[in-house]
Amino acid sequence: MNDTEFHQLADEQMQIIEEAIDDSGADIDYETTGNVMTLEFDDRSQIIINRQEPMKEIWLASRSGGFHFAFVDQQWICSKTGMELFAMVKQECEKHAGESIDWQ
């Protein structure tokens, strides 16, 4: 994967996350600055999702720890857990929010 492909795939994934948060109606504030997306919750806790261009990975940091995702078989897959990125974002958001979120 070259840099252009990485940025396109990472941008698409970030857009999917933003749209899912908007569609869920959950009280999650998010902001993207450069390569970093910050999700903030009522209790001021945060989830940080950022692109690591040199590694061609997306990294996620939350209360549960830090996770690295590589693009494998058309999905961003965690090297530690084998979990898909969007599924982990949903799981971590529910942990931080302290409630179930109705993801579309």
Side-chain angles (χ1 to χ4, degrees):
M1 164 185 334
N2 65 35
D3 289 348
T4 302
E5 292 168 328
F6 169 73
H7 285 290
Q8 180 180 354
L9 291 167
D11 286 347
E12 288 172 4
Q13 185 63 57
M14 297 299 197
Q15 185 67 36
I16 288 168
I17 293 168
E18 289 178 8
E19 289 174 3
I21 291 169
D22 288 341
D23 291 346
S24 75
D27 191 13
I28 303 170
D29 293 325
Y30 64 85
E31 179 180 28
T32 302
T33 305
N35 289 334
V36 180
M37 175 188 284
T38 304
L39 312 181
E40 189 167 321
F41 299 83
D42 282 343
D43 65 358
R44 311 292 287 165
S45 66
Q46 296 181 336
I47 295 173
I48 308 295
I49 304 168
N50 68 321
R51 298 168 221 186
Q52 293 295 317
E53 183 176 343
M55 307 295 287
K56 304 287 190 285
E57 293 181 341
I58 295 176
W59 291 3
L60 181 147
S62 73
R63 288 180 179 157
S64 299
F67 304 91
H68 300 183
F69 296 81
F71 198 69
V72 179
D73 296 329
Q74 305 302 307
Q75 295 184 65
W76 292 100
I77 302 296
C78 180
S79 60
K80 189 185 296 185
T81 66
M83 194 170 195
E84 190 272 328
L85 174 61
F86 187 68
M88 182 170 283
V89 169
K90 291 180 355 181
Q91 173 184 289
E92 292 304 307
C93 283
E94 290 183 347
K95 285 181 185 177
H96 280 255
E99 62 186 12
S100 179
I101 297 172
D102 185 18
W103 298 98
Q104 303 298 318

